[in-house]
């Protein structure tokens, strides 16, 4: 397929949420798969609810997700004249007409239809009157009154609607502003869009938009209407289900590639594969295998996906990703180098499912001995006389080691246990608690190698003077 052009058209009335992000992912993938273009359009015509800060936030989330777009975003509020020039074309070709009916009159027509058990609709009163422009007049499409509007939806398959179901829709309101469907058709045409992927809350607009394309004599793009994302209980997705705005996942320390992979899988499949790199998604996503059934958002699965991505990332990259979170925890300064976090990432990445958790796991090893927090239960239990004696003897041994590296530390620890006939499980807990403040963490030798000799000894010293919680 040559020249595939897609777009994402958010309304800036809130931050980018999961459903919107997934539509964006699909549209972006389709364009990237076929080497086409992906454009952004900001549908900001709802002046009361649209805000620049939401546009900025949506663009920031798109960048964070790695969904790069071509050219500059298009803003609908700047294009009213363009839309109206198309309305004028329709008037000139006889595909549209001026209507002088007042809102009350139109409401009365609707009521009349309802009374007859028909769909409420405008009755075509001005269709053949040949009215010109005038105050209070809108422009309506002269829609076909019979036949079917048929399209093959990429997701839902063939959709057919009777033309008789649709009335002569307004294209330009009495205040001179174009209507939503008019603007979308003009934009998609002007932007060269070949494939429209959007939420299926818009599926009822599509036959109307097709009528406008046809009236203008323009090629109709391919449509794909993606079903809503639901909660696990099949109810409308909300905060209650762990659903948040994309920006909140960023703040929580999800990796964008994990969120993209998870969202793509939500409503699309490639065999049984669960996790996809960006390259794989681009390679496999061709607009087929889109699931017409609503997918359920599963926070645990997203968490799992993120943990997998964290494990697969090269350590230095993970260190770069986690560094801002470690700074935010106040554990390192602005001048800290991500390289220094590599050993910590190696030790703790299996134990965290997001970057914030990972950063928090570093805390015991990034504070000084006297700033280490003890979990009282563990300290009381392991800083016994025997425990403190082990710490004292190990301190002596460690002091004499020519090199204080992970290998030497492990050998010394093992020799201490074996030579004295101790059990590892009586020696390790006081050491671990002295180093970490609680019975958790990673391999003792790696922890000590990271801390270095003097910080290790300082922790042993402090534990030796512990006298109960
Ligand atoms: N602005 C619409 C929305 O946010 C998108 C409409 C479209 O993609 O055609 O739901
Ligand atoms: Zn009328």
């Amino acid at each position: 397929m040559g020249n595939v052009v897609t777009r994402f058209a958010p309304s800036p009335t809130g931050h980018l949420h999961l459903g919107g992000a997934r539509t964006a992912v699909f549209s972006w993938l389709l364009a990237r798969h076929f080497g086409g273009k992906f454009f952004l359009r900001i549908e900001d015509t709802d002046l009361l609810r649209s805000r620049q800060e939401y546009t900025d936030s949506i663009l920031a989330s798109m960048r964070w997700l790695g969904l790069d777009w071509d050219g500059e975003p298009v803003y609908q509020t700047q294009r009213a004249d363009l839309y109206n020039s198309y309305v004028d074309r329709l008037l000139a070709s006889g595909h549209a007409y001026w209507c002088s009916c007042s809102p009350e009159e139109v409401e009365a027509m609707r009521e009349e239809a309802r009374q007859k058990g028909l769909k409420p609709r405008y009755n075509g009163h001005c269709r053949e009157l040949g009215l010109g422009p005038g105050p209070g007049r809108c422009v309506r499409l002269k829609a076909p009154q019979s036949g079917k509007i048929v399209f093959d939806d990429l997701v839902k398959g063939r959709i057919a609607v009777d033309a008789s179901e649709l009335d002569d829709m307004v294209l330009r309101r009495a205040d001179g502003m174009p209507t939503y469907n008019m603007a979308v058709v003009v934009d998609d045409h002007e932007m060269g869009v070949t494939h429209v992927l959007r939420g299926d809350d818009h599926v009822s607009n599509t036959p109307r938009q097709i009528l406008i394309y046809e009236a203008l004599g323009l090629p109709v793009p391919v449509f794909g209407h993606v079903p809503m994302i639901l909660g696990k209980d099949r109810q409308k997705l909300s905060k209650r289900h762990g659903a948040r705005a994309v920006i909140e996942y960023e703040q929580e320390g999800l990796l964008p590639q994990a969120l993209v992979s998870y969202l793509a899988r939500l409503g699309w499949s490639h065999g049984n594969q669960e996790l996809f790199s960006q390259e794989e998604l681009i390679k496999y996503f061709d607009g087929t295998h889109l699931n017409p059934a609503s997918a359920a958002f599963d926070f645990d699965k997203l968490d799992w996906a993120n943990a997998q991505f964290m494990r697969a990332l090269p350590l230095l990259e993970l260190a770069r990703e986690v560094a801002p979170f470690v700074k935010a925890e106040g554990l390192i300064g602005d001048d800290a180098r991500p390289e220094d976090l590599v050993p910590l990432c190696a030790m703790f990445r299996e134990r965290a499912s997001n970057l914030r958790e990972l950063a928090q796991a570093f805390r015991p090893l990034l504070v000084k001995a006297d700033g280490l927090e003890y979990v009282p239960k563990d300290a009381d239990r392991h800083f016994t006389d025997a425990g403190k004696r082990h710490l004292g003897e190990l301190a002596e041994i460690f002091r004499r080691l020519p090199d204080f590296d992970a290998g030497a530390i492990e050998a010394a620890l093992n020799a201490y246990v074996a030579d004295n006939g101790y059990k590892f499980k009586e020696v390790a807990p006081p050491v671990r608690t002295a180093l970490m403040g609680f019975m958790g963490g990673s391999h003792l030798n790696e922890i000590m190698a990271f801390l270095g000799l003097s910080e290790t000894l300082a922790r042993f010293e402090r534990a030796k003077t512990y006298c109960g919680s």
Side-chain angles (χ1 to χ4, degrees):
M1 244 190 293
N3 295 332
V4 166
V5 178
T6 65
R7 72 348 181 238
F8 177 52
S11 305
T13 54
H15 299 287
L16 183 62
H17 53 87
L18 290 178
R22 187 186 53 163
T23 309
V25 166
F26 286 163
S27 299
W28 176 80
L29 284 174
L30 195 69
R32 296 295 173 249
H33 175 85
F34 289 108
K37 298 265 185 235
F38 172 66
F39 294 121
L40 274 190
R41 176 168 77 234
I42 308 301
E43 302 206 322
D44 54 351
T45 50
D46 181 342
L47 299 177
L48 287 177
R49 290 169 63 227
S50 298
R51 287 211 235 136
Q52 184 61 40
E53 64 182 274
Y54 289 135
T55 298
D56 296 341
S57 165
I58 292 167
L59 297 186
S61 289
M62 296 283 291
R63 280 190 204 96
W64 178 69
L65 289 169
L67 308 180
D68 57 331
W69 57 91
D70 295 292
E72 290 300 316
V74 162
Y75 289 78
Q76 283 193 323
T77 43
Q78 298 170 2
R79 291 157 72 89
D81 290 345
L82 175 70
Y83 306 143
N84 279 330
S85 73
Y86 279 81
V87 176
D88 290 340
R89 264 165 70 174
L90 289 171
L91 283 166
S93 66
H95 286 92
Y97 60 91
W98 290 97
C99 161
S100 63
C101 301
S102 67
E104 295 74 27
E105 285 167 324
V106 174
E107 189 39 54
M109 296 172 197
R110 293 211 164 116
E111 188 47 42
E112 195 188 322
R114 265 186 227 112
Q115 299 275 324
K116 291 186 193 152
L118 301 171
K119 261 200 157 173
R121 64 208 307 273
Y122 172 71
N123 68 10
H125 176 267
C126 304
R127 233 176 122 96
E128 309 299 341
L129 294 186
L131 296 174
R137 294 187 181 175
C138 67
V139 176
R140 290 183 179 272
L141 182 75
K142 197 179 265 184
Q145 292 175 305
S146 61
K148 278 184 188 304
I149 303 137
V150 182
F151 64 102
D152 288 307
D153 194 275
L154 273 181
V155 184
K156 295 177 180 289
R158 174 153 294 198
I159 295 180
V161 175
D162 278 322
S164 62
E165 301 242 325
L166 309 174
D167 59 4
D168 287 349
M169 74 189 109
V170 176
L171 303 176
R172 172 154 86 198
R173 290 196 202 89
D175 65 4
M177 290 309 286
T179 53
Y180 176 73
N181 283 317
M182 186 69 215
V184 168
V185 169
V186 172
D187 279 332
D188 282 336
H189 169 67
E190 286 274 328
M191 294 163 86
V193 171
T194 60
H195 292 71
V196 173
L197 293 180
R198 60 185 167 207
D200 72 358
D201 46 335
H202 287 281
V203 71
S204 63
N205 284 329
T206 303
R208 296 177 179 278
Q209 292 178 9
I210 290 174
L211 289 180
I212 301 176
Y213 281 105
E214 287 174 346
L216 285 165
L218 299 174
V220 179
V222 176
F223 293 97
H225 291 91
V226 188
M228 301 241 294
I229 303 176
L230 300 178
K232 254 178 159 175
D233 52 4
R234 311 300 298 174
Q235 301 297 307
K236 192 172 154 42
L237 190 61
S238 70
K239 293 236 170 216
R240 192 162 51 81
H241 299 101
R244 299 194 188 98
V246 170
I247 190 174
E248 294 173 90
Y249 290 110
E250 177 181 2
Q251 288 158 358
E252 192 170 282
L254 244 70
L255 291 173
Q257 53 272 46
L259 188 53
V260 168
S261 170
Y262 177 76
L263 286 174
R265 251 320 261 110
L266 213 53
W268 170 80
S269 58
H270 179 76
N272 294 325
Q273 191 168 335
E274 283 294 342
L275 301 172
F276 296 86
S277 68
Q278 196 183 83
E279 296 69 41
E280 287 175 311
L281 286 174
I282 291 174
K283 188 163 146 208
Y284 301 143
F285 189 93
D286 62 0
T288 64
H289 297 99
L290 285 162
N291 192 340
S294 299
F297 174 73
D298 181 342
F299 183 73
D300 295 332
K301 210 162 163 188
L302 174 57
D303 225 30
W304 170 83
N306 197 58
Q308 304 307 308
F309 273 91
M310 276 177 45
R311 278 162 216 187
L313 216 56
L315 279 170
L316 185 55
E317 257 178 68
L318 183 59
R320 282 201 191 102
E321 298 278 359
V322 79
F325 291 86
V326 186
K327 273 177 205 162
E329 294 285 326
L331 296 169
I332 53 172
D334 282 336
D335 50 345
R337 303 173 323 145
E339 289 84 329
D340 300 333
L341 299 175
V342 164
L344 290 170
C345 289
M347 281 189 269
F348 292 100
R349 71 156 141 191
E350 305 279 329
R351 295 173 172 78
S353 58
N354 63 48
L355 297 169
R356 188 192 282 175
E357 270 178 39
L358 183 61
Q360 287 165 347
F362 297 170
R363 174 173 290 279
L365 298 193
L366 288 175
V367 296
K368 291 282 161 211
D370 52 7
L372 185 64
E373 248 182 73
Y374 288 153
V375 170
K377 167 176 76 67
D378 292 339
D380 289 345
R381 176 138 180 238
H382 301 301
F383 297 157
T384 56
D385 289 344
K388 289 175 180 174
R389 206 172 50 245
H390 290 311
L391 292 174
E393 287 178 21
L394 282 168
E396 280 315 306
I397 294 170
F398 289 152
R399 235 180 232 120
R400 290 197 299 269
L401 283 180
D403 292 309
F404 195 67
D405 59 36
I409 297 166
E410 180 164 31
L413 205 52
N414 287 339
Y416 173 73
V417 170
D419 296 352
N420 296 298
Y422 297 137
K423 291 198 185 77
F424 206 77
K425 67 169 193 278
E426 49 188 333
V427 176
V431 174
R432 180 173 293 287
T433 308
L435 294 169
M436 294 292 299
F438 72 110
M439 283 297 289
S442 184
H443 298 293
L444 292 176
N445 61 330
E446 287 174 15
I447 293 173
M448 288 187 267
F450 176 80
L451 289 171
L453 180 62
S454 71
E455 189 52 44
T456 298
L457 295 182
R459 284 167 198 240
F460 285 9
E461 266 322 302
R462 186 178 154 207
K464 279 164 59 189
T465 62
Y466 179 80
C467 39
S469 59

